[in-house]
Structures are given as C-alpha cells and as structure tokens.
C-alpha cells in the first residue's frame, strides 16, 4: 500500500523539477492526500503495490506525459 512518505516524495520531486516538462502541474494542482489517493487507485487497478518512492514518482511522470500529448 502506498504511504504518505511516497506521496510526499512525489510532491517534493514535483517541486524540485517544477520547470521540467509538466511537473509544475503536479506541484501546483495536487496535494499530498490527492497524490496518495491516486497511488492507492493505481495499486487497486493494477494489483501491484508501490514499494519504492521511485515507482510512485514514475507513475506521476507517466501521468503528466499522457497529459502533455492531449494538448
């Protein structure tokens, strides 16, 4: 199960890489609870548990990459 620490790591990464790609969207539009909810939702859909913070960050990188292609 995703943890609050993983959600916080995603937000810290988003703030650190604010000017890279679309990470500013995560930094500006998501809070720790919504990040955690998304991670939990993804775990439920895929039946795969996020075990490392890097996996949680990677999931959000894929989300913003998909978002970019829509515009």
């Amino acid at each position: 199960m995703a943890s609050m620490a993983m959600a916080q790591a995603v937000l810290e990464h988003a703030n650190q890489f604010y000017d890279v790609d679309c990470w500013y969207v995560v930094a500006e539009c998501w809070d720790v609870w919504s990040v955690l909810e998304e991670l939990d939702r993804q775990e439920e859909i895929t039946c795969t548990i996020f075990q490392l913070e890097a996996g949680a960050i990677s999931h959000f990188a894929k989300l913003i990459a998909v978002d970019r292609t829509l515009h």
Side-chain angles (χ1 to χ4, degrees):
M1 178 173 210
S3 68
M4 187 63 73
M6 284 183 188
Q8 187 61 41
V10 170
L11 289 177
E12 288 174 11
H13 182 85
N15 284 304
Q16 184 178 3
F17 292 95
Y18 189 89
D19 294 329
V20 179
D21 289 330
C22 294
W23 280 105
Y24 70 92
V25 173
V26 177
E28 294 289 331
C29 299
W30 293 74
D31 64 15
V32 71
W33 295 107
S34 58
V35 170
L36 184 58
E37 186 176 301
E38 170 58 23
L39 294 174
D40 286 342
R41 184 189 71 78
Q42 185 64 21
E43 286 179 337
E44 187 176 310
I45 289 171
T46 63
C47 296
T48 303
I49 296 173
F50 289 105
Q51 296 181 0
L52 300 173
E53 293 172 354
I57 293 167
S58 175
H59 172 67
F60 272 82
K62 291 174 189 170
L63 282 180
I64 62 175
V66 168
D67 226 14
R68 253 180 51 208
T69 61
L70 296 176
H71 301 296

